[in-house]
Structure formats: C-alpha cells, structure tokens
C-alpha cells in the first residue's frame, strides 16, 4: 500500500502563489506516475497536472502551475502562481502505475488539502 499526504493548502488572494506538497510512503516503487486533481464545491473532480516521464497540465492551469517530484524524498510538488478565484478547490494528490490509470481513479489517493483564492 501507498500512503499519500498533502500539505501546503490555505487562503491566498488572487494573483498570489502557493506550493502544495505530497509526501508518499509505503510501496512507492509502484507509482510510476503521480499527479494532482481538484474538486470544487458542486463540481466533478478534475485533472490538474501529472508527471511521469513527462509533465502534463490541464489547459486551465497551463503556464501558471508547475508540477515536480523529488524521488529521493518521495515527495511531489505543485507550484501554483497567478492564482484565480476559480482555482478554489480541494486538491488531491494521486499516484498510480500510469497516468491513464490515475485519471481513471485507480491507484493511491491522498485526503486532500483546501485551497481558497479570494478575489
């Protein structure tokens, strides 16, 4: 089993920045791909960014968010710049054998961290 714990969420004004972290423990060798998803109130969970051999971003965050991982620390990051009120959501980190599996809801998931962007 893999355990994922997010941190770094909070309240920020529009235009500000936050960095989310996702610490992994357990059978982390099973996670080739890792990523971030988010769910706003009343909306479906949506893909934000993923990292495997390459990085991938949703159109809504491309150019503003940067995903990275430090394999030595078993930690993944999401640097979020130029935040907008519509970025407000609970952000979840995930890990799986592939990005496709992760996008289908498989793999390991964290409990989420709240990001609130005020206008």
């Amino acid at each position: 089993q893999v355990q994922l714990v997010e941190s770094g969420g909070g309240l920020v004004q529009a235009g500000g920045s936050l960095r989310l972290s996702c610490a992994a423990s357990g059978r982390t060798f099973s996670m080739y791909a890792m990523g971030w998803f988010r769910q706003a109130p009343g909306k479906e969970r949506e893909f934000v960014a993923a990292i495997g051999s390459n990085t991938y971003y949703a159109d809504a965050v491309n150019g503003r968010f940067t995903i990275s991982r430090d394999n030595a620390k078993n930690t993944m990051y999401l640097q979020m710049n130029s935040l907008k009120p519509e970025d407000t959501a609970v952000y979840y980190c995930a890990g799986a054998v592939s990005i496709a599996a992760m996008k289908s809801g498989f793999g390991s998931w964290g409990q989420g961290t709240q990001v609130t962007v005020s206008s």
Side-chain angles (χ1 to χ4, degrees), residues 6-28:
E6 304 95 337
S7 62
L11 173 65
V12 64
Q13 289 188 332
S17 299
L18 281 174
R19 188 176 82 153
L20 304 182
S21 298
C22 174
S25 61
R27 298 168 63 87
T28 58

Side-chain angles (χ1 to χ4, degrees), residues 19-61:
R19 188 176 82 153
L20 304 182
S21 298
C22 174
S25 61
R27 298 168 63 87
T28 58
F29 60 83
S30 65
M31 297 192 309
Y32 169 74
M34 296 188 73
W36 292 94
F37 293 74
R38 67 187 182 186
Q39 187 167 19
K43 294 188 176 181
E44 298 278 325
R45 186 173 65 192
E46 65 177 4
F47 168 77
V48 175
I51 184 167
S53 57
N54 293 302
T55 57
Y56 306 87
Y57 298 94
D59 290 343
V61 307

Side-chain angles (χ1 to χ4, degrees), residues 19-118:
R19 188 176 82 153
L20 304 182
S21 298
C22 174
S25 61
R27 298 168 63 87
T28 58
F29 60 83
S30 65
M31 297 192 309
Y32 169 74
M34 296 188 73
W36 292 94
F37 293 74
R38 67 187 182 186
Q39 187 167 19
K43 294 188 176 181
E44 298 278 325
R45 186 173 65 192
E46 65 177 4
F47 168 77
V48 175
I51 184 167
S53 57
N54 293 302
T55 57
Y56 306 87
Y57 298 94
D59 290 343
V61 307
N62 196 22
R64 299 187 297 122
F65 291 10
T66 302
I67 189 171
S68 62
R69 66 191 293 180
D70 184 335
N71 290 330
K73 295 182 178 179
N74 285 334
T75 302
M76 175 180 63
Y77 305 96
L78 184 68
Q79 178 66 44
M80 305 186 294
N81 298 330
S82 302
L83 282 161
K84 305 175 181 180
E86 51 263 44
D87 294 318
T88 295
V90 177
Y91 283 70
Y92 299 90
C93 72
V97 295
S98 69
I99 291 176
M102 191 169 51
K103 285 186 171 182
S104 297
F106 296 104
S108 299
W109 292 77
Q111 293 300 305
T113 185
Q114 177 70 47
V115 171
T116 303
V117 184
S118 63

